Amino acid sequence: MSVQLRKPTKRVCEQCERTEQWDETNGAWQLAREDGSKLVGDPHCIHEWDINGTFYPFE
């Protein structure tokens, strides 16, 4: 049985709700869109991403 590494594909700021998705082509986080609008949140926020230790990277 081989172990598979999982990577997060979406993150949300807990303060301003900025939402980003991982873009495999660019190898970077990109702003998510909803109904054609970018989910930018507050540009002055020091983003607190929803990283809380519950994501388990191995399957």
Side-chain angles (χ1 to χ4, degrees):
M1 175 189 252
S2 67
V3 176
Q4 296 294 321
L5 177 64
R6 294 178 32 217
K7 298 181 251 180
T9 57
K10 183 178 179 182
R11 64 185 184 184
V12 179
C13 176
E14 294 180 342
Q15 304 297 318
C16 72
E17 298 185 12
R18 176 187 179 103
T19 305
E20 297 181 348
Q21 294 177 323
W22 182 255
D23 185 329
E24 198 67 44
T25 303
N26 293 326
W29 291 100
Q30 301 291 315
L31 285 170
R33 293 179 180 263
E34 185 175 284
D35 298 328
S37 299
K38 292 181 179 179
L39 302 175
V40 296
D42 180 356
H44 303 290
C45 180
I46 299 174
H47 302 298
E48 180 71 31
W49 302 112
D50 56 342
I51 301 169
N52 56 19
T54 60
F55 180 81
Y56 190 67
F58 299 103
E59 290 181 338

